[in-house]
mmCIF file of all heavy atoms in Angstrom:
data_model
loop_
_atom_site.group_PDB
_atom_site.id
_atom_site.type_symbol
_atom_site.label_atom_id
_atom_site.label_comp_id
_atom_site.label_asym_id
_atom_site.label_seq_id
_atom_site.Cartn_x
_atom_site.Cartn_y
_atom_site.Cartn_z
ATOM 1 N N TYR A 16 0.804 -1.249 -0.016
ATOM 2 C CA TYR A 16 -0.011 0.000 -0.017
ATOM 3 C C TYR A 16 0.845 1.277 0.002
ATOM 4 O O TYR A 16 0.383 2.340 0.424
ATOM 5 C CB TYR A 16 -0.939 -0.026 1.178
ATOM 6 C CG TYR A 16 -1.994 -1.131 1.174
ATOM 7 C CD1 TYR A 16 -1.815 -2.228 1.928
ATOM 8 C CD2 TYR A 16 -3.033 -1.083 0.314
ATOM 9 C CE1 TYR A 16 -2.731 -3.252 1.888
ATOM 10 C CE2 TYR A 16 -3.956 -2.081 0.203
ATOM 11 C CZ TYR A 16 -3.821 -3.179 1.079
ATOM 12 O OH TYR A 16 -4.712 -4.216 0.956
ATOM 13 N N GLU A 17 2.066 1.173 -0.485
ATOM 14 C CA GLU A 17 3.033 2.249 -0.400
ATOM 15 C C GLU A 17 2.442 3.463 -1.213
ATOM 16 O O GLU A 17 2.542 4.600 -0.745
ATOM 17 C CB GLU A 17 4.333 1.870 -1.092
ATOM 18 C CG GLU A 17 5.431 2.822 -0.866
ATOM 19 C CD GLU A 17 5.879 2.984 0.603
ATOM 20 O OE1 GLU A 17 5.806 1.982 1.324
ATOM 21 O OE2 GLU A 17 6.305 4.135 0.944
ATOM 22 N N GLY A 18 1.738 3.237 -2.324
ATOM 23 C CA GLY A 18 1.193 4.325 -3.078
ATOM 24 C C GLY A 18 -0.011 4.888 -2.589
ATOM 25 O O GLY A 18 -0.329 6.019 -2.938
ATOM 26 N N ALA A 19 -0.704 4.221 -1.714
ATOM 27 C CA ALA A 19 -1.982 4.707 -1.195
ATOM 28 C C ALA A 19 -1.779 5.469 0.147
ATOM 29 O O ALA A 19 -2.705 6.176 0.470
ATOM 30 C CB ALA A 19 -2.904 3.483 -0.954
ATOM 31 N N LYS A 20 -0.653 5.283 0.783
ATOM 32 C CA LYS A 20 -0.424 5.952 2.088
ATOM 33 C C LYS A 20 -0.530 7.527 1.969
ATOM 34 O O LYS A 20 -0.027 8.030 0.991
ATOM 35 C CB LYS A 20 0.842 5.487 2.710
ATOM 36 C CG LYS A 20 0.804 4.040 3.237
ATOM 37 C CD LYS A 20 2.018 3.689 4.111
ATOM 38 C CE LYS A 20 3.305 3.945 3.330
ATOM 39 N NZ LYS A 20 4.447 3.414 4.132
ATOM 40 N N ILE A 21 -0.943 8.123 3.002
ATOM 41 C CA ILE A 21 -0.949 9.536 3.066
ATOM 42 C C ILE A 21 0.367 10.097 3.689
ATOM 43 O O ILE A 21 1.090 9.212 4.346
ATOM 44 C CB ILE A 21 -2.127 10.158 3.870
ATOM 45 C CG1 ILE A 21 -1.967 9.771 5.325
ATOM 46 C CG2 ILE A 21 -3.424 9.683 3.303
ATOM 47 C CD1 ILE A 21 -2.865 10.570 6.280
ATOM 48 N N LYS A 22 0.786 11.208 3.352
ATOM 49 C CA LYS A 22 2.041 11.832 3.878
ATOM 50 C C LYS A 22 1.738 12.448 5.323
ATOM 51 O O LYS A 22 0.874 13.204 5.522
ATOM 52 C CB LYS A 22 2.594 12.876 2.987
ATOM 53 C CG LYS A 22 2.966 12.279 1.635
ATOM 54 C CD LYS A 22 3.630 13.332 0.730
ATOM 55 C CE LYS A 22 4.122 12.791 -0.538
ATOM 56 N NZ LYS A 22 4.664 13.908 -1.406
ATOM 57 N N THR A 23 2.572 11.984 6.240
ATOM 58 C CA THR A 23 2.518 12.568 7.578
ATOM 59 C C THR A 23 4.057 12.953 7.891
ATOM 60 O O THR A 23 5.001 12.467 7.291
ATOM 61 C CB THR A 23 2.037 11.526 8.644
ATOM 62 O OG1 THR A 23 2.856 10.435 8.682
ATOM 63 C CG2 THR A 23 0.602 11.096 8.340
ATOM 64 N N PRO A 24 4.204 13.828 8.852
ATOM 65 C CA PRO A 24 5.582 14.305 9.122
ATOM 66 C C PRO A 24 6.651 13.247 9.445
ATOM 67 O O PRO A 24 6.369 12.234 10.166
ATOM 68 C CB PRO A 24 5.422 15.254 10.340
ATOM 69 C CG PRO A 24 3.992 15.635 10.285
ATOM 70 C CD PRO A 24 3.284 14.454 9.781
ATOM 71 N N LEU A 25 7.812 13.410 8.803
ATOM 72 C CA LEU A 25 8.986 12.516 9.019
ATOM 73 C C LEU A 25 10.181 13.352 9.390
ATOM 74 O O LEU A 25 10.160 14.516 9.177
ATOM 75 C CB LEU A 25 9.257 11.731 7.762
ATOM 76 C CG LEU A 25 8.152 10.714 7.296
ATOM 77 C CD1 LEU A 25 8.459 10.182 5.951
ATOM 78 C CD2 LEU A 25 8.015 9.559 8.334
ATOM 79 N N LEU A 26 11.312 12.774 9.836
ATOM 80 C CA LEU A 26 12.545 13.475 9.985
ATOM 81 C C LEU A 26 13.186 13.373 8.645
ATOM 82 O O LEU A 26 13.280 12.337 7.991
ATOM 83 C CB LEU A 26 13.358 12.737 11.080
ATOM 84 C CG LEU A 26 12.843 12.822 12.470
ATOM 85 C CD1 LEU A 26 13.829 12.172 13.442
ATOM 86 C CD2 LEU A 26 12.607 14.282 12.944
ATOM 87 N N ARG A 27 13.823 14.502 8.189
ATOM 88 C CA ARG A 27 14.430 14.613 6.816
ATOM 89 C C ARG A 27 15.903 14.723 7.065
ATOM 90 O O ARG A 27 16.433 15.202 8.058
ATOM 91 C CB ARG A 27 13.884 15.878 6.221
ATOM 92 C CG ARG A 27 12.358 15.913 6.072
ATOM 93 C CD ARG A 27 11.876 17.321 5.754
ATOM 94 N NE ARG A 27 12.292 18.255 6.814
ATOM 95 C CZ ARG A 27 11.832 19.473 6.965
ATOM 96 N NH1 ARG A 27 10.863 19.926 6.084
ATOM 97 N NH2 ARG A 27 12.283 20.269 7.895
ATOM 98 N N PRO A 28 16.665 14.390 6.081
ATOM 99 C CA PRO A 28 18.113 14.535 6.119
ATOM 100 C C PRO A 28 18.529 15.978 6.458
ATOM 101 O O PRO A 28 19.620 16.247 7.109
ATOM 102 C CB PRO A 28 18.656 14.084 4.837
ATOM 103 C CG PRO A 28 17.618 13.102 4.328
ATOM 104 C CD PRO A 28 16.313 13.672 4.886
ATOM 105 N N SER A 29 17.810 16.944 5.987
ATOM 106 C CA SER A 29 18.141 18.368 6.205
ATOM 107 C C SER A 29 17.772 18.787 7.684
ATOM 108 O O SER A 29 18.162 19.931 8.007
ATOM 109 C CB SER A 29 17.347 19.249 5.186
ATOM 110 O OG SER A 29 15.986 19.060 5.483
ATOM 111 N N ASP A 30 17.209 17.993 8.458
ATOM 112 C CA ASP A 30 16.876 18.407 9.860
ATOM 113 C C ASP A 30 18.020 18.351 10.790
ATOM 114 O O ASP A 30 17.880 18.691 11.988
ATOM 115 C CB ASP A 30 15.707 17.491 10.396
ATOM 116 C CG ASP A 30 14.391 17.803 9.632
ATOM 117 O OD1 ASP A 30 14.167 18.966 9.196
ATOM 118 O OD2 ASP A 30 13.593 16.802 9.548
ATOM 119 N N GLY A 31 19.170 17.924 10.353
ATOM 120 C CA GLY A 31 20.372 17.904 11.250
ATOM 121 C C GLY A 31 20.465 16.656 12.052
ATOM 122 O O GLY A 31 21.309 16.530 12.929
ATOM 123 N N CYS A 32 19.511 15.716 11.882
ATOM 124 C CA CYS A 32 19.540 14.408 12.684
ATOM 125 C C CYS A 32 20.316 13.336 11.978
ATOM 126 O O CYS A 32 20.738 12.373 12.731
ATOM 127 C CB CYS A 32 18.145 13.954 12.914
ATOM 128 S SG CYS A 32 17.123 15.101 13.962
ATOM 129 N N VAL A 33 20.428 13.318 10.680
ATOM 130 C CA VAL A 33 20.926 12.135 10.016
ATOM 131 C C VAL A 33 21.981 12.485 8.994
ATOM 132 O O VAL A 33 22.339 11.619 8.259
ATOM 133 C CB VAL A 33 19.729 11.398 9.277
ATOM 134 C CG1 VAL A 33 18.841 10.857 10.338
ATOM 135 C CG2 VAL A 33 18.966 12.427 8.376
ATOM 136 N N SER A 34 22.474 13.674 8.945
ATOM 137 C CA SER A 34 23.390 13.985 7.890
ATOM 138 C C SER A 34 24.841 14.369 8.664
ATOM 139 O O SER A 34 24.890 14.447 9.831
ATOM 140 C CB SER A 34 22.937 15.267 7.066
ATOM 141 O OG SER A 34 22.712 16.326 8.027
ATOM 142 N N ARG A 35 25.742 14.563 7.818
ATOM 143 C CA ARG A 35 27.113 14.795 8.316
ATOM 144 C C ARG A 35 27.179 16.066 8.996
ATOM 145 O O ARG A 35 28.102 16.297 9.889
ATOM 146 C CB ARG A 35 28.136 14.776 7.206
ATOM 147 C CG ARG A 35 28.343 13.306 6.669
ATOM 148 C CD ARG A 35 29.326 13.282 5.505
ATOM 149 N NE ARG A 35 29.509 12.014 5.040
ATOM 150 C CZ ARG A 35 30.259 11.676 3.976
ATOM 151 N NH1 ARG A 35 31.031 12.647 3.450
ATOM 152 N NH2 ARG A 35 30.376 10.398 3.475
ATOM 153 N N ASN A 36 26.387 17.121 8.666
ATOM 154 C CA ASN A 36 26.346 18.391 9.471
ATOM 155 C C ASN A 36 25.444 18.246 10.598
ATOM 156 O O ASN A 36 24.484 19.026 10.756
ATOM 157 C CB ASN A 36 25.956 19.538 8.523
ATOM 158 C CG ASN A 36 24.632 19.326 7.898
ATOM 159 O OD1 ASN A 36 24.078 18.221 7.812
ATOM 160 N ND2 ASN A 36 24.079 20.395 7.511
ATOM 161 N N PHE A 37 25.581 17.236 11.451
ATOM 162 C CA PHE A 37 24.779 16.946 12.552
ATOM 163 C C PHE A 37 24.618 18.171 13.493
ATOM 164 O O PHE A 37 25.665 18.698 13.881
ATOM 165 C CB PHE A 37 25.215 15.710 13.338
ATOM 166 C CG PHE A 37 24.240 15.184 14.363
ATOM 167 C CD1 PHE A 37 23.241 14.260 14.035
ATOM 168 C CD2 PHE A 37 24.311 15.684 15.671
ATOM 169 C CE1 PHE A 37 22.445 13.796 15.001
ATOM 170 C CE2 PHE A 37 23.379 15.226 16.574
ATOM 171 C CZ PHE A 37 22.447 14.271 16.284
ATOM 172 N N SER A 38 23.428 18.541 13.826
ATOM 173 C CA SER A 38 23.177 19.660 14.730
ATOM 174 C C SER A 38 22.218 19.260 15.832
ATOM 175 O O SER A 38 21.041 18.995 15.571
ATOM 176 C CB SER A 38 22.612 20.807 13.947
ATOM 177 O OG SER A 38 22.058 21.815 14.908
ATOM 178 N N ALA A 39 22.765 19.025 17.109
ATOM 179 C CA ALA A 39 21.863 18.578 18.118
ATOM 180 C C ALA A 39 20.683 19.505 18.366
ATOM 181 O O ALA A 39 19.588 18.973 18.505
ATOM 182 C CB ALA A 39 22.706 18.397 19.436
ATOM 183 N N GLU A 40 20.940 20.807 18.342
ATOM 184 C CA GLU A 40 19.863 21.759 18.606
ATOM 185 C C GLU A 40 18.785 21.697 17.619
ATOM 186 O O GLU A 40 17.526 21.615 17.832
ATOM 187 C CB GLU A 40 20.438 23.145 18.742
ATOM 188 C CG GLU A 40 19.359 24.220 19.077
ATOM 189 C CD GLU A 40 19.927 25.544 19.284
ATOM 190 O OE1 GLU A 40 21.167 25.720 19.212
ATOM 191 O OE2 GLU A 40 19.159 26.519 19.467
ATOM 192 N N ARG A 41 19.159 21.682 16.287
ATOM 193 C CA ARG A 41 18.184 21.656 15.208
ATOM 194 C C ARG A 41 17.462 20.314 15.168
ATOM 195 O O ARG A 41 16.274 20.291 14.924
ATOM 196 C CB ARG A 41 18.955 21.921 13.897
ATOM 197 C CG ARG A 41 17.989 22.157 12.629
ATOM 198 C CD ARG A 41 18.653 22.761 11.538
ATOM 199 N NE ARG A 41 19.385 21.745 10.751
ATOM 200 C CZ ARG A 41 20.790 21.711 10.671
ATOM 201 N NH1 ARG A 41 21.457 22.586 11.340
ATOM 202 N NH2 ARG A 41 21.324 20.809 9.959
ATOM 203 N N CYS A 42 18.190 19.265 15.488
ATOM 204 C CA CYS A 42 17.579 17.886 15.451
ATOM 205 C C CYS A 42 16.560 17.828 16.608
ATOM 206 O O CYS A 42 15.512 17.245 16.318
ATOM 207 C CB CYS A 42 18.706 16.877 15.596
ATOM 208 S SG CYS A 42 18.141 15.156 15.719
ATOM 209 N N LEU A 43 16.996 18.173 17.751
ATOM 210 C CA LEU A 43 15.941 18.128 18.903
ATOM 211 C C LEU A 43 14.759 18.880 18.591
ATOM 212 O O LEU A 43 13.631 18.504 18.989
ATOM 213 C CB LEU A 43 16.641 18.516 20.205
ATOM 214 C CG LEU A 43 17.710 17.664 20.722
ATOM 215 C CD1 LEU A 43 18.400 18.322 21.990
ATOM 216 C CD2 LEU A 43 17.192 16.274 21.164
ATOM 217 N N SER A 44 14.886 20.121 18.088
ATOM 218 C CA SER A 44 13.784 20.955 17.698
ATOM 219 C C SER A 44 12.814 20.298 16.717
ATOM 220 O O SER A 44 11.569 20.343 16.871
ATOM 221 C CB SER A 44 14.199 22.318 17.168
ATOM 222 O OG SER A 44 13.168 23.150 16.871
ATOM 223 N N ARG A 45 13.377 19.614 15.691
ATOM 224 C CA ARG A 45 12.625 18.955 14.695
ATOM 225 C C ARG A 45 11.876 17.728 15.290
ATOM 226 O O ARG A 45 10.696 17.478 15.044
ATOM 227 C CB ARG A 45 13.464 18.538 13.565
ATOM 228 C CG ARG A 45 12.727 17.732 12.509
ATOM 229 C CD ARG A 45 11.685 18.564 11.771
ATOM 230 N NE ARG A 45 11.027 17.754 10.716
ATOM 231 C CZ ARG A 45 10.029 18.135 9.997
ATOM 232 N NH1 ARG A 45 9.509 19.375 10.065
ATOM 233 N NH2 ARG A 45 9.498 17.334 9.052
ATOM 234 N N ILE A 46 12.633 16.935 16.160
ATOM 235 C CA ILE A 46 11.992 15.770 16.772
ATOM 236 C C ILE A 46 10.742 16.225 17.608
ATOM 237 O O ILE A 46 9.724 15.677 17.588
ATOM 238 C CB ILE A 46 13.021 15.053 17.684
ATOM 239 C CG1 ILE A 46 14.065 14.323 16.815
ATOM 240 C CG2 ILE A 46 12.294 13.992 18.572
ATOM 241 C CD1 ILE A 46 15.173 13.677 17.548
ATOM 242 N N TYR A 47 11.005 17.360 18.375
ATOM 243 C CA TYR A 47 9.936 17.937 19.159
ATOM 244 C C TYR A 47 8.710 18.315 18.345
ATOM 245 O O TYR A 47 7.598 17.955 18.651
ATOM 246 C CB TYR A 47 10.456 19.154 20.029
ATOM 247 C CG TYR A 47 9.505 19.723 20.970
ATOM 248 C CD1 TYR A 47 9.396 19.143 22.264
ATOM 249 C CD2 TYR A 47 8.626 20.765 20.606
ATOM 250 C CE1 TYR A 47 8.517 19.723 23.172
ATOM 251 C CE2 TYR A 47 7.703 21.235 21.521
ATOM 252 C CZ TYR A 47 7.642 20.759 22.710
ATOM 253 O OH TYR A 47 6.752 21.229 23.648
ATOM 254 N N SER A 48 8.909 18.961 17.245
ATOM 255 C CA SER A 48 7.845 19.462 16.401
ATOM 256 C C SER A 48 7.013 18.220 15.767
ATOM 257 O O SER A 48 5.834 18.241 15.772
ATOM 258 C CB SER A 48 8.416 20.337 15.324
ATOM 259 O OG SER A 48 8.936 21.547 15.834
ATOM 260 N N VAL A 49 7.889 17.302 15.292
ATOM 261 C CA VAL A 49 7.182 16.169 14.648
ATOM 262 C C VAL A 49 6.361 15.286 15.675
ATOM 263 O O VAL A 49 5.276 14.894 15.448
ATOM 264 C CB VAL A 49 8.202 15.327 13.934
ATOM 265 C CG1 VAL A 49 7.639 14.016 13.425
ATOM 266 C CG2 VAL A 49 8.811 16.043 12.730
ATOM 267 N N LEU A 50 7.020 15.043 16.802
ATOM 268 C CA LEU A 50 6.462 14.268 17.820
ATOM 269 C C LEU A 50 5.121 14.996 18.359
ATOM 270 O O LEU A 50 4.182 14.319 18.660
ATOM 271 C CB LEU A 50 7.415 14.036 18.945
ATOM 272 C CG LEU A 50 6.918 13.097 20.090
ATOM 273 C CD1 LEU A 50 6.485 11.710 19.573
ATOM 274 C CD2 LEU A 50 7.981 12.945 21.165
ATOM 275 N N THR A 51 5.154 16.273 18.416
ATOM 276 C CA THR A 51 4.030 17.039 18.795
ATOM 277 C C THR A 51 2.827 16.876 17.848
ATOM 278 O O THR A 51 1.731 16.704 18.220
ATOM 279 C CB THR A 51 4.394 18.607 18.886
ATOM 280 O OG1 THR A 51 5.350 18.808 19.899
ATOM 281 C CG2 THR A 51 3.018 19.428 19.177
ATOM 282 N N TRP A 52 3.183 16.794 16.548
ATOM 283 C CA TRP A 52 2.136 16.551 15.589
ATOM 284 C C TRP A 52 1.448 15.218 15.754
ATOM 285 O O TRP A 52 0.159 15.157 15.764
ATOM 286 C CB TRP A 52 2.655 16.576 14.099
ATOM 287 C CG TRP A 52 1.671 16.501 13.069
ATOM 288 C CD1 TRP A 52 1.004 17.400 12.451
ATOM 289 C CD2 TRP A 52 1.087 15.274 12.510
ATOM 290 N NE1 TRP A 52 0.075 17.001 11.486
ATOM 291 C CE2 TRP A 52 0.167 15.615 11.567
ATOM 292 C CE3 TRP A 52 1.277 13.868 12.759
ATOM 293 C CZ2 TRP A 52 -0.609 14.630 10.853
ATOM 294 C CZ3 TRP A 52 0.535 12.900 12.153
ATOM 295 C CH2 TRP A 52 -0.356 13.350 11.203
ATOM 296 N N TYR A 53 2.201 14.183 16.025
ATOM 297 C CA TYR A 53 1.600 12.818 16.280
ATOM 298 C C TYR A 53 0.792 12.799 17.499
ATOM 299 O O TYR A 53 -0.253 12.211 17.539
ATOM 300 C CB TYR A 53 2.697 11.792 16.250
ATOM 301 C CG TYR A 53 3.319 11.448 14.864
ATOM 302 C CD1 TYR A 53 4.400 12.087 14.313
ATOM 303 C CD2 TYR A 53 2.502 10.596 13.977
ATOM 304 C CE1 TYR A 53 4.836 11.780 13.110
ATOM 305 C CE2 TYR A 53 2.918 10.313 12.712
ATOM 306 C CZ TYR A 53 4.088 10.910 12.273
ATOM 307 O OH TYR A 53 4.504 10.650 10.962
ATOM 308 N N ARG A 54 1.250 13.498 18.515
ATOM 309 C CA ARG A 54 0.451 13.520 19.702
ATOM 310 C C ARG A 54 -0.834 14.254 19.554
ATOM 311 O O ARG A 54 -1.886 13.877 20.046
ATOM 312 C CB ARG A 54 1.250 14.001 20.927
ATOM 313 C CG ARG A 54 0.601 13.844 22.262
ATOM 314 C CD ARG A 54 1.452 14.133 23.459
ATOM 315 N NE ARG A 54 0.750 13.694 24.702
ATOM 316 C CZ ARG A 54 -0.229 14.426 25.205
ATOM 317 N NH1 ARG A 54 -0.607 15.454 24.695
ATOM 318 N NH2 ARG A 54 -0.748 13.866 26.341
ATOM 319 N N GLU A 55 -0.819 15.367 18.939
ATOM 320 C CA GLU A 55 -1.957 16.157 18.658
ATOM 321 C C GLU A 55 -2.975 15.552 17.737
ATOM 322 O O GLU A 55 -4.163 15.785 17.956
ATOM 323 C CB GLU A 55 -1.572 17.526 18.055
ATOM 324 C CG GLU A 55 -0.828 18.486 19.013
ATOM 325 C CD GLU A 55 -0.446 19.772 18.400
ATOM 326 O OE1 GLU A 55 -0.521 19.833 17.142
ATOM 327 O OE2 GLU A 55 -0.030 20.746 19.113
ATOM 328 N N ASN A 56 -2.571 14.590 16.889
ATOM 329 C CA ASN A 56 -3.526 13.858 16.019
ATOM 330 C C ASN A 56 -3.710 12.457 16.580
ATOM 331 O O ASN A 56 -4.319 11.620 15.735
ATOM 332 C CB ASN A 56 -2.860 13.841 14.615
ATOM 333 C CG ASN A 56 -2.992 15.214 13.932
ATOM 334 O OD1 ASN A 56 -4.000 15.578 13.355
ATOM 335 N ND2 ASN A 56 -1.831 15.965 13.908
ATOM 336 N N TRP A 57 -3.343 12.167 17.714
ATOM 337 C CA TRP A 57 -3.488 10.748 18.279
ATOM 338 C C TRP A 57 -4.963 10.422 18.438
ATOM 339 O O TRP A 57 -5.292 9.145 18.514
ATOM 340 C CB TRP A 57 -2.724 10.648 19.503
ATOM 341 C CG TRP A 57 -2.501 9.242 19.954
ATOM 342 C CD1 TRP A 57 -2.877 8.530 21.137
ATOM 343 C CD2 TRP A 57 -1.746 8.197 19.214
ATOM 344 N NE1 TRP A 57 -2.566 7.281 21.134
ATOM 345 C CE2 TRP A 57 -1.758 7.045 20.050
ATOM 346 C CE3 TRP A 57 -1.089 8.209 18.014
ATOM 347 C CZ2 TRP A 57 -1.145 5.821 19.563
ATOM 348 C CZ3 TRP A 57 -0.418 7.014 17.605
ATOM 349 C CH2 TRP A 57 -0.524 5.857 18.338
ATOM 350 N N SER A 58 -5.829 11.393 18.526
ATOM 351 C CA SER A 58 -7.208 11.037 18.717
ATOM 352 C C SER A 58 -7.781 10.245 17.592
ATOM 353 O O SER A 58 -8.700 9.422 17.715
ATOM 354 C CB SER A 58 -8.026 12.378 18.917
ATOM 355 O OG SER A 58 -7.875 13.220 17.792
ATOM 356 N N PHE A 59 -7.185 10.384 16.365
ATOM 357 C CA PHE A 59 -7.500 9.609 15.224
ATOM 358 C C PHE A 59 -7.309 8.140 15.531
ATOM 359 O O PHE A 59 -8.230 7.308 15.106
ATOM 360 C CB PHE A 59 -6.786 10.008 13.987
ATOM 361 C CG PHE A 59 -7.243 9.550 12.672
ATOM 362 C CD1 PHE A 59 -8.079 10.334 11.888
ATOM 363 C CD2 PHE A 59 -6.978 8.317 12.225
ATOM 364 C CE1 PHE A 59 -8.606 9.968 10.641
ATOM 365 C CE2 PHE A 59 -7.503 7.830 10.945
ATOM 366 C CZ PHE A 59 -8.315 8.639 10.230
ATOM 367 N N ILE A 60 -6.214 7.751 16.089
ATOM 368 C CA ILE A 60 -5.926 6.366 16.424
ATOM 369 C C ILE A 60 -6.810 5.913 17.621
ATOM 370 O O ILE A 60 -7.152 4.789 17.612
ATOM 371 C CB ILE A 60 -4.392 6.268 16.831
ATOM 372 C CG1 ILE A 60 -3.523 6.790 15.705
ATOM 373 C CG2 ILE A 60 -4.055 4.744 17.157
ATOM 374 C CD1 ILE A 60 -3.617 6.093 14.375
ATOM 375 N N GLU A 61 -7.110 6.807 18.521
ATOM 376 C CA GLU A 61 -7.925 6.440 19.682
ATOM 377 C C GLU A 61 -9.219 5.918 19.294
ATOM 378 O O GLU A 61 -9.936 5.108 20.012
ATOM 379 C CB GLU A 61 -8.008 7.581 20.694
ATOM 380 C CG GLU A 61 -6.708 7.847 21.418
ATOM 381 C CD GLU A 61 -6.802 9.095 22.259
ATOM 382 O OE1 GLU A 61 -7.249 10.166 21.788
ATOM 383 O OE2 GLU A 61 -6.361 8.951 23.485
ATOM 384 N N LYS A 62 -9.703 6.272 18.132
ATOM 385 C CA LYS A 62 -11.047 5.885 17.691
ATOM 386 C C LYS A 62 -11.081 4.631 16.906
ATOM 387 O O LYS A 62 -12.150 4.139 16.495
ATOM 388 C CB LYS A 62 -11.666 6.975 16.744
ATOM 389 C CG LYS A 62 -11.768 8.393 17.431
ATOM 390 C CD LYS A 62 -12.199 9.427 16.446
ATOM 391 C CE LYS A 62 -12.215 10.831 17.059
ATOM 392 N NZ LYS A 62 -12.571 11.904 16.102
#
């Protein structure tokens, strides 16, 4: 179902988490933002 899946936030190479220009501050901020999205939309799963 790869083609049918919807897009939801992911960590990207440009976020400083997975590239050679690793940035702890930028990476933590992105993890925080993405994780916040999943928690705010968790009610969809709860149903």
Side-chain angles (χ1 to χ4, degrees):
Y16 295 105
E17 191 67 30
K20 287 190 303 188
I21 68 164
K22 293 182 179 180
T23 64
L25 296 168
L26 295 183
R27 306 160 303 193
S29 60
D30 292 327
C32 295
V33 293
S34 58
R35 290 182 182 177
N36 60 338
F37 189 90
S38 168
E40 184 176 354
R41 192 165 78 249
C42 177
L43 289 176
S44 180
R45 176 66 179 179
I46 291 174
Y47 184 87
S48 298
V49 171
L50 187 55
T51 296
W52 185 93
Y53 284 96
R54 189 169 190 282
E55 289 178 346
N56 289 278
W57 195 242
S58 59
F59 194 97
I60 305 298
E61 290 177 308
K62 299 173 184 177

